[in-house]
């Protein structure tokens, strides 16, 4: 008696586990990477920016509502940048020292510092927190 052995069919390799691994890796790298552009921020102390002792530095206070106080007046950012540019050109101030009121978050202070720099104010310094 002869036993007939059925020919073995070749099994194809399933690509489903490989695709799962690839998608998991893709998801991991997408979540682990940061797409934000990081830029450096040059900071100076108030004493480094004062180039002339006869001309005072302007103290700007960032308020909790996002506005700025300068010369006892409240300004939005754009109006403040224009006023500071006029004062710097007229040499009424030598530099700008940005200070924060209590309750202002650090990222708001840094964003304001960066925006003032982009508005053309070059003589910027970060001062101690306002009391």
């Amino acid at each position: 008696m002869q036993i007939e052995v059925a020919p073995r069919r070749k099994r194809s390799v399933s690509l489903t586990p490989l695709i799962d691994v690839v998608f998991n890796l893709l998801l991991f790298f997408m979540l682990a990477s940061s797409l934000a552009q990081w830029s450096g921020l040059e900071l100076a102390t108030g004493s480094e920016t004062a180039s002339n002792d006869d001309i005072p530095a302007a103290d700007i206070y960032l308020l909790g509502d996002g506005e700025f106080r300068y010369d006892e007046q409240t300004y939005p950012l754009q109006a403040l940048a224009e006023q500071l540019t006029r004062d710097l050109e007229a040499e009424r101030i030598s530099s700008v020292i940005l200070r924060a009121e209590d309750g202002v978050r650090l990222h708001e202070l840094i964003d304001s510092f960066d925006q003032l720099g982009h508005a053309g104010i070059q003589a910027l310094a970060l001062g101690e927190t306002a009391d």
Side-chain angles (χ1 to χ4, degrees):
M1 171 169 198
Q2 187 165 1
I3 301 176
E4 191 173 316
V5 178
R8 290 183 60 170
R9 294 175 32 185
K10 286 189 171 184
R11 293 186 57 180
S12 62
V13 176
S14 175
L15 293 178
T16 305
L18 179 63
I19 293 171
D20 289 344
V21 168
V22 168
F23 279 127
N24 282 329
L25 285 173
L26 179 67
L27 182 65
F28 171 77
F29 285 115
M30 285 176 56
L31 294 176
S33 66
S34 174
L35 300 177
Q37 292 182 353
W38 294 93
S39 62
L41 182 64
E42 293 184 26
L43 296 178
T45 62
S47 61
E48 292 175 353
T49 59
S51 59
N52 190 348
D53 292 335
D54 297 337
I55 303 173
D59 283 328
I60 308 298
Y61 294 93
L62 175 59
L63 305 177
D65 60 359
E67 292 200 339
F68 299 86
R69 188 173 65 235
Y70 170 57
D71 267 350
E72 303 300 323
Q73 293 182 356
T74 304
Y75 294 92
L77 178 67
Q78 189 61 34
L80 175 70
E82 292 169 2
Q83 180 65 39
L84 290 174
T85 302
R86 285 193 297 269
D87 288 350
L88 283 167
E89 288 172 354
E91 294 185 359
R92 288 188 286 249
I93 58 174
S94 62
S95 61
V96 176
I97 300 174
L98 183 61
R99 302 174 191 275
E101 193 178 62
D102 286 340
V104 174
R105 296 186 178 269
L106 179 63
H107 72 87
E108 294 169 350
L109 178 65
I110 299 300
D111 286 345
S112 301
F113 195 92
D114 196 33
Q115 289 172 359
L116 284 172
H118 287 302
I121 310 297
Q122 298 301 317
L124 275 171
L126 192 59
E128 294 180 17
T129 305
D131 294 331

